[in-house]
Amino acid sequence: MRQRAARDQQRLDSGAGISARDLANLQSEVVSLAKRQADLEDVVLEVMERLEGAQERVTELTERVSALEAKLTDATARRDAATGELDAEAAKVTKDREVIVASMPADLMALYEKIRVKQGGVGAARLYQRRCEGCRLELDMAEVNEIKAAARDQVVRHENCGRILVRTADSGI
Ligand SMILES: [Zn+2]
C-alpha cells in the first residue's frame, strides 16, 4: 500500500503526461490511501496494546502458577514427613502392645479381646474418681464397695458397660 502511494505521489510530482482528470483521480487515491494507512496504523497500535496486555497477564499467571507449585511442594513435603512420623509411631505402639500382650495371662487377654470387639475397640478403662472412663458413668456406692473388697489382682468389670476397670491411686476407692 505504501509502495502504491509512493508510486502515485511520484507520478503526481513528475506531472509528466497526466491529464487534469487523471491528476484529480490520483490525488483522490493518494488521500484515500493515506487515510487507509492511518486506519491500519491504528489497528496495529491497538493489536500491539492488546498483545502487551496479554503478555502481562501471561507473566502474572505464570508467577501465580509458580507460587502455587511451591506451596504444593511444601505441603507434600510436610504431609510426607507427618505420614512418616505416624508410621513410626504406629510401629512403636504395635511393638509395645505385643510386649504387653505377651506378658498378660492368656485368659485375661481372651476376655479383654471379647469385650474390646463388643465395645467399639475399648476393652478396658481406667477407673478415675469413681467414674468409668470407658462409658463415663459414675459407679454407685454398692459397686465402689464391691471393688474396694476385691483383691488387688482380681479382674473387676463395670456393670454398666462390661469393661475391665483398671484401678489406680486416682480411682477414688
Ligand atoms: Zn463403664
Side-chain angles (χ1 to χ4, degrees):
M1 206 182 71
R2 280 204 188 97
Q3 280 169 3
R4 192 169 162 192
R7 207 169 52 233
D8 286 350
Q9 194 61 52
Q10 226 174 3
R11 281 184 71 193
L12 274 172
D13 291 347
S14 72
I18 299 173
S19 68
R21 201 175 151 194
D22 282 348
L23 192 70
N25 282 344
L26 274 172
Q27 275 173 334
S28 152
E29 192 172 32
V30 166
V31 168
S32 111
L33 283 171
K35 193 188 172 306
R36 238 187 114 207
Q37 187 178 339
D39 288 350
L40 285 172
E41 277 168 359
D42 284 349
V43 169
V44 167
L45 202 68
E46 194 196 315
V47 167
M48 279 169 70
E49 274 169 9
R50 281 173 58 192
L51 179 65
E52 206 175 303
Q55 278 167 342
E56 273 170 22
R57 186 97 180 104
V58 166
T59 305
E60 188 194 314
L61 288 173
T62 306
E63 277 166 13
R64 279 176 63 190
V65 166
S66 297
L68 287 173
E69 278 172 350
K71 265 190 179 176
L72 182 65
T73 304
D74 180 56
T76 305
R78 280 188 291 136
R79 182 205 61 193
D80 290 348
T83 304
E85 276 171 30
L86 285 174
D87 286 348
E89 200 183 326
K92 191 189 174 297
V93 168
T94 304
K95 212 175 157 190
D96 288 352
R97 188 183 189 277
E98 278 167 10
V99 172
I100 293 166
V101 167
S103 72
M104 290 283 179
D107 56 346
L108 178 59
M109 276 315 297
L111 174 67
Y112 167 80
E113 284 298 338
K114 209 174 104 186
I115 303 166
R116 193 173 74 89
V117 169
K118 213 171 141 191
Q119 293 292 2
V122 182
R126 180 168 71 148
L127 178 62
Y128 182 74
Q129 292 178 352
R130 301 187 176 188
R131 189 180 294 273
C132 165
E133 289 200 320
C135 66
R136 317 297 303 171
L137 208 79
E138 200 173 329
L139 275 64
D140 61 32
M141 277 314 290
E143 265 189 291
V144 169
N145 287 332
E146 217 174 288
I147 291 168
K148 264 185 194 170
R152 277 178 62 84
D153 61 350
Q154 189 186 327
V155 174
V156 290
R157 294 173 63 183
H158 190 200
E159 267 181 31
N160 179 61
C161 66
R163 290 188 178 94
I164 297 165
L165 286 171
V166 179
R167 287 165 286 175
T168 70
D170 298 321
S171 289
I173 52 171

